[in-house]
Amino acid sequence: MNAITIKDVAKAAGVSSATASRVLSGHPATSPASRAKVEAAAKELGFVPNAQARSLRSTKTDTIALLISDVRNPYFSDLAHAVEQQAHAEGIMTFIGNANEDSAQQDDFLAAMLSRRVDGLIMVPQGLGEDAERPSGMLQRLIASGTPVVFVDRSLAGVQVPSITASSTEALNEAIATLKHLGHEKIAFIGGPDHASTARERHRAFDAALEANGLDIDESLHFAGDFKAGSGARGARWLLDHPAAPTAVVIADAPMAIGALTVWREAGVAIGQELSVITFDEVDAMLMHDPPISTISHDLSGMGRAAVAALTAVMAGQSPEPEEFISHFTQRESLSRARTGAAKMEGTPTHES
Amino acid sequence: MNAITIKDVAKAAGVSSATASRVLSGHPATSPASRAKVEAAAKELGFVPNAQARSLRSTKTDTIALLISDVRNPYFSDLAHAVEQQAHAEGIMTFIGNANEDSAQQDDFLAAMLSRRVDGLIMVPQGLGEDAERPSGMLQRLIASGTPVVFVDRSLAGVQVPSITASSTEALNEAIATLKHLGHEKIAFIGGPDHASTARERHRAFDAALEANGLDIDESLHFAGDFKAGSGARGARWLLDHPAAPTAVVIADAPMAIGALTVWREAGVAIGQELSVITFDEVDAMLMHDPPISTISHDLSGMGRAAVAALTAVMAGQSPEPEEFISHFTQRESLSRARTGAAKMEGTPTHES
DNA sequence: CGATTCCATGGAATCGATTACATAGTTTTC
DNA sequence: GAAAACTATGTAATCGATTCCATGGAATCG
């Protein structure tokens, strides 16, 4: 058992525990002589301060929590990595928690963090089931407790918390313009769950982009997934059976895209020829795919760093402005000219033009 | 500020803080009457116990740490997910740390955990650079401090710590037998970094499988990667330029496979025809690939659960046996009969046969 | 029925650090 | 050269829970 306390160090160095503490925590009022003695003794004994005792008294834990909605989604693990690296560089530990897209688990984690008195929290907020914009009770208590909080990726309209989000409006406009230019008019959308603000934002931006490009908004071309692979697969089947036979599709995240592309491969759909595909999230697998998939990508490292910066600002008593990152569209060979007439076009007249 | 302490609760309930503490931590010696009063008061005031103070006195944190070597590798994020779920089910919080395949970062994390007095640690151990089997100083201190430790996925030969590992011997035997049966004789191996015991185990098992199937072991067909996508891409180019023109390849993890397959797609290599591919780690992207890739998969959920079980056993003072999971080979269309002679065979005489 | 055991409870010590306050010694200032 | 201002240090209080110990009252026992 490592029972070495600061008193042991103080005794070994021949000073009081107060002096030892001052030396070890870098307090200026220490003489070079005692500094040397204490440091030598601490090293000699292999002293490791007890973080509990330290933060009980000082009310600082040098720890922040990061709550994401799915560790296994590469989007979030990239984000987690960026946040963790940046926090690490500032000497802050990161507690990573996983809500599993489930608000009960989110609350468990928040309760644990509140109890551990973390210095701050970065989270991808999850609305409550029916009422997507209402924060959970635990989140309200956490905010009420004065714990600095920053939202990243998603936001909750009713909650006054700085947020770092991504805007896909511009990228989707470009994407839809490109598709239109290639002759696509019936563009399907495989979206995410309504409780995620990201999903709503992408859906909204998709509709806006159609409109901006003079295309009809047709809700029957929208499939509601849940950001996980299984729903992408279901969306892929739904699209194959769709009476309107869309010629292009935009998918709202990478796991769903992987699920969908798997189904289309099995069904023998020629991606890029029969069906043009664009997906959110530029993960490596999209570049591995033959043909490579066009993507709308986010600057996740940037967002992670910005979140940490915003959080440290809040911790310092400031109120940072919300920050919005602009997503980026990259065209790849998964897009091609829409099949004109012929083939799959049965009984669906082109809408006046 | 949430300044509600147990004293406030005690006062509101009209009892002493000792009684309040007993009620709230489920101590048996409490009367129904005071139990009711304290619980009502705690709820009323929204009391959240201070975990620091609690564990300072009780020397329990109900927290374990999980140290993995790369959060962004789906293999490890799956493992993390399994560990976290299992621990959560047992009322234990999990601190997830990321060593980034870097032993300095590993030590930082271990120091932080030692200071926070976590109840236990599950880790994917990282040898020191040159001396792959020697534990870092921090790890030695952590073990010396009496903190229960369990290794998962990898192990360190010199360290007496229960470990949960995966054996790929059987799966590789089956894989190589399958390849041989299809006429492949020159099988390349894109392996991992030597400091990872998993990488060494897979390499060893690969050689053993060649031998068991009567094939020559040719170290010139072994490429040393680092488990990340970039090295897979380099391995892919190395293979294309290889004078022996291997007809099949086994890749030691999924990120390298994705990197490699991307290069081969760009180079127009027909996977499954010109080149048969088997990879470790059954991630979704491998099933999305056309043709789907044959994999050697691990029961990550099982390993995660076993790791938590082993750790709780150690925490309870027992010494659980090391456990080895058997990996599983799944053949898919990425394998086909080796091209006999012809095509790419320029000036590379078949090695005596 | 007196003695013993059991229970619920409160007072106070405790965990291991930090830090307010007091003090003695040293340096600066007018 | 005396007052003022630092400086380095030690003593003791403190953070918020848990837990040891003592106590008074109720239940059990012989």
Side-chain angles (χ1 to χ4, degrees), chain A residues 51 164 321:
Chain A
I164 311 294
E321 287 299 303

Side-chain angles (χ1 to χ4, degrees), chain A residues 165-171 297-299 303 324-329:
Chain A
T165 52
S167 163
S168 46
T169 307
E170 298 78 359
S297 57
H298 312 284
D299 177 10
M303 287 173 69
E324 193 171 50
F325 280 68
I326 304 299
S327 307
H328 182 70
F329 172 63

Side-chain angles (χ1 to χ4, degrees), chain B residues 10 21 28 30 39 46 104 111-112 157 162 167 172 183-184 208 216 240 266 268 300 332:
Chain B
S21 169
T30 52
E39 271 159 10
S167 162
L172 270 170
H184 295 275
D216 291 339
L240 292 180
E266 284 165 357
L300 288 166
R332 297 200 181 82

Side-chain angles (χ1 to χ4, degrees), chain A residues 5-6 21 47 50 53-54 57:
Chain A
T5 73
I6 201 167
S21 169
F47 170 68
N50 182 319
R54 183 208 293 269
R57 182 68 226 256

Side-chain angles (χ1 to χ4, degrees), chain B residues 188-191 221-226 228-242 246 249-251 256-257 259-261 263-264 275:
Chain B
F189 183 72
I190 298 182
L221 288 173
H222 174 246
F223 179 87
D226 63 6
K228 297 185 187 178
S231 73
R234 287 193 296 278
R237 282 185 219 102
W238 159 87
L239 186 141
L240 292 180
D241 295 339
H242 200 286
V249 61
V250 173
I251 306 174
M256 292 197 298
L261 288 165
V263 167
W264 288 325
L275 181 66

